[in-house]
Amino acid sequence: MSCATLAKGLLDLEVARARLMASAKLVRGEECVALEQAARRVLARDLMARLDMPCVDNSGMDGYALRLAELDDAGLPVVLRVAAGADVAALPKGGCARIFTGAPVPAGADCVVPQERVRLDEAGRVHILGEARLGANIRRRGEEYRSGEALLPAGWTLDAPALAMLASQGFVEVPVLPRLRVALISTGDELIEPGEPFTPGQVYNSNRVMLKVLLEQADCAVLDLGIVADDLEALRKAFSTARDGADLVICTGGVSVGEEDHVRPVLDELGGLRFHGVAIKPGKPFAFGYLNDGSPEGVPLIGLPGNPVASLVGWHLLARPFVQGCQGRTVGPLQQYRVQAGFSRRGSLGRRELLRVVIDWQGNHPVALLAGGQGSHMLHAASQAHGYLMMAADTDVEEGHEYPYLPAGQFVD
Ligand code: AMP
Ligand code: MG
């Protein structure tokens, strides 16, 4: 989409993402953690294989190991039994070995025949049914990778399969980056916490739990500074506490241009605003800047909108890639494919719109339907959505036409 079609003063989404990612500075340091504690952590260094994988030639099946050239009508006597974990012995000439999955293949054997493809005669000799192939069912030493070869690169997010692979190499612990420390502030005079007595006009704080969970799932250490009033002095104080104890500050609310929106003036005062306003709906009131002297040496601050769905979209599309950049993770482009809309709707002027949709599988054909009310305060649809239908600015949705769809799975840490 060209910038010319954007509402005045707003940054294009891709430009904002690129600017954020270019500003993301890698968190410093390294710590060693046990494998069981390393899920979701980010690898600090490249890791190399310590062992050939597999370490020895071994059987891929329960069956019989033999020399293919020795097979004849008389069959082969079973002269050896090798279970997994056993020492490797050589296969005596003229005989075969009973062997089990994972057991080392005895020297001399060049084929494993699965037990289902074998007949044992009255004398206990092995005859094979059908064809056997040289090397069949033998997992060769080093066929997957060799000792010294690259296993995982720095920046890799450790998950269950990666940790299993490291365990298979005998790793006890892994070097990971320190957790990014993120201070979280909810601004708004109207906010109260769940559990507090409610009077009409007040609003339960939903952004706090949402962002705390999202940040923790993204492997951040959250410094939760709770609710801060719409008051210049209170915000100044909260921002300086935040910058002293965190690598990044995220606040919600008060980031528009109303009289009760104090984030921007305090950011100007304590550091410097880099940009404000992105051409997306919801999520327009998004601010990025630095506390301290406004240089990249300061502590970065992200101001997300107060409306919870706008805050969620701002996290998915903008704040999360910045966090990932600080964590040394690779940030790819938005994953999208075209899906047919099952509804019609007026487009949004000057902003891309991210409609919360569910995918209805009609036969094997996916159709996007609205997940519910699309207001930026409407968490119900956001809680049901499978993803976003991303509409270009000034573009109406026409039922039956295809539009870019962003599956929500790509935003899950
Ligand atoms: P603001 O961005 O401060 O103008 O807030 C926009 C809307 O979002 C208002 O209706 C606020 O009451 C609401 N809001 C702000 N912060 C939160 C929050 N932490 N949880 C739920 N709603 C919020
Ligand atoms: Mg407010």
Side-chain angles (χ1 to χ4, degrees):
M1 190 178 71
S2 82
C3 289
T5 63
L6 297 183
K8 205 161 157 260
L10 299 182
L11 268 189
D12 173 59
L13 173 63
E14 296 302 341
V15 175
R17 279 168 63 89
R19 284 179 63 172
L20 283 165
M21 282 185 263
S23 310
K25 272 192 18 190
L26 187 64
V27 61
R28 260 179 272 198
E30 181 179 314
E31 58 195 49
C32 264
V33 295
L35 286 195
E36 298 94 291
Q37 263 77 59
R40 296 203 184 113
R41 304 297 303 262
V42 181
L43 207 52
R45 276 183 277 138
D46 296 345
L47 292 186
M48 309 300 167
R50 295 171 170 179
L51 307 168
D52 292 344
M53 190 53 69
C55 312
V56 293
D57 291 357
N58 70 88
S59 176
M61 291 289 218
D62 291 336
Y64 295 84
L66 44 85
R67 287 184 187 83
L68 208 54
E70 290 181 350
L71 271 177
D72 59 20
D73 291 346
L76 290 168
V78 181
V79 295
L80 209 59
R81 187 177 188 278
V82 213
D87 281 343
V88 202
L91 182 66
K93 289 227 177 309
C96 69
R98 179 74 171 116
I99 196 163
F100 300 94
T101 306
V105 174
D110 54 21
C111 169
V112 170
V113 183
Q115 61 192 33
E116 299 79 5
R117 306 224 348 255
V118 156
R119 179 178 66 81
L120 288 178
D121 64 21
E122 309 74 58
R125 296 171 74 91
V126 168
H127 301 261
I128 71 162
L129 311 169
E131 290 288 295
R133 195 172 41 79
L134 200 67
N137 304 307
I138 298 177
R139 304 158 169 174
R140 291 289 177 199
R141 174 177 182 165
E143 71 175 12
E144 189 182 2
Y145 50 81
R146 293 264 174 204
S147 159
E149 282 181 15
L151 270 189
L152 294 170
W156 194 266
T157 303
L158 294 166
D159 59 3
L163 291 167
M165 178 172 69
L166 296 178
S168 78
Q169 284 283 303
F171 282 82
V172 175
E173 47 182 30
V174 273
V176 296
L177 292 175
R179 289 206 162 93
L180 193 74
R181 298 167 309 156
V182 183
L184 183 61
I185 298 170
S186 316
T187 75
D189 282 344
E190 73 282 28
L191 298 181
I192 54 168
E193 291 299 343
E196 288 179 11
F198 181 83
T199 41
Q202 292 182 308
V203 173
Y204 279 125
N205 187 355
S206 39
N207 288 340
R208 182 184 187 178
V209 66
M210 178 175 77
L211 287 162
K212 193 159 187 270
V213 167
L214 289 167
L215 285 163
E216 284 172 355
Q217 286 174 344
D219 195 37
C220 298
V222 180
L223 173 64
D224 182 359
L225 296 179
I227 296 170
V228 175
D230 289 317
D231 169 72
L232 276 175
E233 195 41 45
L235 209 54
R236 264 186 213 120
K237 235 175 108 193
F239 278 4
S240 35
T241 308
R243 84 175 160 199
D244 291 344
D247 306 305
L248 165 67
V249 181
I250 294 186
C251 63
T252 67
V255 77
S256 288
V257 287
E259 279 160 39
E260 293 301 332
D261 294 323
H262 300 307
V263 169
R264 197 181 158 160
V266 177
L267 189 54
D268 279 338
E269 196 183 298
L270 292 185
L273 180 79
R274 287 305 167 90
F275 66 85
H276 183 228
V278 179
I280 52 174
K281 181 183 176 183
K284 177 176 75 168
F286 180 97
F288 177 69
Y290 290 93
L291 298 171
N292 288 350
D293 58 0
S295 76
E297 274 60 56
V299 175
L301 179 138
I302 287 175
L304 291 171
N307 276 306
V309 183
S311 212
L312 181 67
V313 169
W315 163 260
H316 283 160
L317 299 186
L318 295 160
R320 182 173 173 265
F322 181 78
V323 163
Q324 289 176 314
C326 297
Q327 294 172 318
R329 298 182 209 244
T330 319
V331 183
L334 289 169
Q335 292 168 20
Q336 46 187 289
Y337 51 87
R338 296 177 78 79
V339 170
Q340 190 183 318
F343 61 95
S344 294
R345 184 182 164 89
R346 288 294 296 276
S348 167
L349 278 183
R351 290 191 273 163
R352 281 193 216 196
E353 190 164 13
L354 292 127
L355 297 168
R356 280 74 72 205
V357 296
V358 290
I359 298 297
D360 181 30
W361 286 90
Q362 304 183 352
N364 56 5
H365 180 67
V367 174
L369 302 175
L370 288 174
Q374 297 290 310
S376 61
H377 55 300
M378 295 181 173
L379 277 168
H380 190 262
S383 77
Q384 304 299 299
H386 299 154
Y388 298 117
L389 207 62
M390 187 164 67
M391 300 303 303
D394 314 325
T395 307
D396 295 339
V397 184
E398 289 180 58
E399 186 174 346
H401 289 224
E402 289 187 345
Y403 302 98
Y405 169 70
L406 278 52
Q410 69 188 296
F411 305 118
V412 177
D413 287 298

